[in-house]
């Protein structure tokens, strides 16, 4: 049954990862409801009531995320799933720093994170150092306009030379690390990003809504 339903289920999950990140939880639910109706109209076989969360949530993994500071509401858990599965680097809308704190705790426990401020004039050299040392990067306080020097990293414009992958940052070629991960965050509560930015990153909304706050308080 699961194999037969795989096409429709994967379609729902992929759509949610690609498009749901910027929205609050109630909007995400409405979008998934609309998509399910559409795939039923198109007679695409799927699991009844399928959602991204029901397909991709791993309870053991989610418990680990919670231990690392991820809030226990549906929006935050979905955000964790999107961050894990998206092919583009996540840009977190994070006015209360919930997403950033989660990434910091998770990275600290794994001993793999460098935290860099976007205002640091040396930030690009620090990202290069992270690449060389197989580290993750959390680039904090990005503005509505992403620095153009980040372009090759955001687009993951790697060049393969034999068995080695490299990336050109500025005038420098650096060996690409498969362990490297980039997370970006902004504390602007309602940023206006251009369509070009949406193509380069996955926007993930960590803004607290009354519903999300109520869910978090109920789990304390």
């Amino acid at each position: 049954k699961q194999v037969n339903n795989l096409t429709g289920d994967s379609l729902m999950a992929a759509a949610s990862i690609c498009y749901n990140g910027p929205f609050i939880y109630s909007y995400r639910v409405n979008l998934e409801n609309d998509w399910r109706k559409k795939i039923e109209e198109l007679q695409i076989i799927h699991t009844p009531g399928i959602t991204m969360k029901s397909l991709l949530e791993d309870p053991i993994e989610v418990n680990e995320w919670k231990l690392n500071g991820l809030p226990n509401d549906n929006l935050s858990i979905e955000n964790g799933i999107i961050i894990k599965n998206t092919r583009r680097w996540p840009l977190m809308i994070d006015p209360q720093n919930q997403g950033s704190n989660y990434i910091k705790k998770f990275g600290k426990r794994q001993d793999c994170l460098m935290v860099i401020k976007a205002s640091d004039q040396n930030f690009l050299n620090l990202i290069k150092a992270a690449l060389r040392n197989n580290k993750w990067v959390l680039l904090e306080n990005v503005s509505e306009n992403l620095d153009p020097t980040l372009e090759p990293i955001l687009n993951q414009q790697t060049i393969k030379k034999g068995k080695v992958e490299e990336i050109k940052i500025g005038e420098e070629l650096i060996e690409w690390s498969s362990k490297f991960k980039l997370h970006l965050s902004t504390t602007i509560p309602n940023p206006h990003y251009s369509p070009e930015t949406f193509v380069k990153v996955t926007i993930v909304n960590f803004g607290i809504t009354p519903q999300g706050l109520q869910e978090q308080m109920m789990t304390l």
Side-chain angles (χ1 to χ4, degrees), residues 13-22 52 56 65 78-92 103 154 156 180-184 197-204 206:
S16 297
I17 290 166
C18 287
Y19 297 111
N20 275 2
M52 176 194 72
L56 297 179
W65 294 348
E78 283 197 356
N79 287 345
I81 293 170
I82 292 170
I83 287 171
K84 178 194 171 187
N85 289 284
T86 180
R87 295 174 69 179
R88 293 170 293 186
W89 304 127
L91 195 170
M92 301 178 289
I103 295 297
L154 294 178
Q156 302 180 44
F180 173 79
K181 290 184 181 180
L182 175 64
H183 302 81
L184 305 101
T197 300
F198 274 88
V199 171
K200 294 171 189 171
V201 297
T202 296
I203 308 290
V204 185
F206 270 92

Side-chain angles (χ1 to χ4, degrees), residues 1-7 9 45-48:
K1 261 190 174 180
Q2 287 179 322
V3 171
N4 288 337
N5 294 339
L6 191 59
T7 302
D9 292 358
I45 299 172
H46 64 285
T47 303

Side-chain angles (χ1 to χ4, degrees), residues 5-183:
N5 294 339
L6 191 59
T7 302
D9 292 358
S10 298
L11 178 60
M12 281 292 299
S16 297
I17 290 166
C18 287
Y19 297 111
N20 275 2
F23 301 113
I24 61 174
Y25 185 68
S26 58
Y27 282 21
R28 296 180 183 184
V29 170
N30 290 337
L31 279 169
E32 287 189 324
N33 287 338
D34 289 343
W35 293 337
R36 274 195 303 273
K37 288 176 188 174
K38 191 64 181 176
I39 63 176
E40 284 167 11
E41 284 175 26
L42 296 170
Q43 297 183 342
I44 298 172
I45 299 172
H46 64 285
T47 303
I50 188 66
T51 64
M52 176 194 72
K53 187 171 180 286
S54 64
L55 182 67
L56 297 179
E57 181 179 18
D58 179 339
I60 295 172
E61 190 172 47
V62 169
N63 280 334
E64 185 183 2
W65 294 348
K66 291 175 189 174
L67 287 173
N68 287 294
L70 186 72
N72 191 28
D73 60 286
N74 283 316
L75 178 82
S76 300
I77 293 169
E78 283 197 356
N79 287 345
I81 293 170
I82 292 170
I83 287 171
K84 178 194 171 187
N85 289 284
T86 180
R87 295 174 69 179
R88 293 170 293 186
W89 304 127
L91 195 170
M92 301 178 289
I93 300 172
D94 196 23
Q96 287 85 26
N97 287 314
Q98 293 202 62
S100 293
N101 289 338
Y102 157 63
I103 295 297
K104 285 176 183 176
K105 287 180 183 177
F106 195 92
K108 186 176 181 181
R109 288 178 69 140
Q110 303 287 331
D111 191 28
C112 65
L113 182 69
M114 286 178 65
V115 180
I116 304 170
K117 301 288 185 187
S119 56
D120 190 329
Q121 293 183 349
N122 199 36
F123 81 90
L124 200 59
N125 287 330
L126 294 171
I127 292 176
K128 290 177 187 177
L131 262 169
R132 292 189 182 101
N133 292 290
N134 303 318
K135 297 285 188 181
W136 296 6
V137 166
L138 172 60
L139 186 62
E140 291 188 308
N141 300 331
V142 298
S143 67
E144 291 181 340
N145 298 306
L146 299 182
D147 194 302
T149 58
L150 286 169
E151 194 92 4
I153 302 170
L154 294 178
N155 293 325
Q156 302 180 44
Q157 295 171 342
T158 59
I159 308 158
K160 197 151 190 178
K161 291 187 177 180
K163 294 182 179 180
V164 177
E165 271 191 291
E166 294 180 328
I167 187 167
K168 190 174 184 180
I169 304 174
E171 297 302 315
E172 193 174 357
L173 273 173
I174 297 171
E175 186 173 336
W176 181 257
S177 168
S178 60
K179 295 180 180 178
F180 173 79
K181 290 184 181 180
L182 175 64
H183 302 81

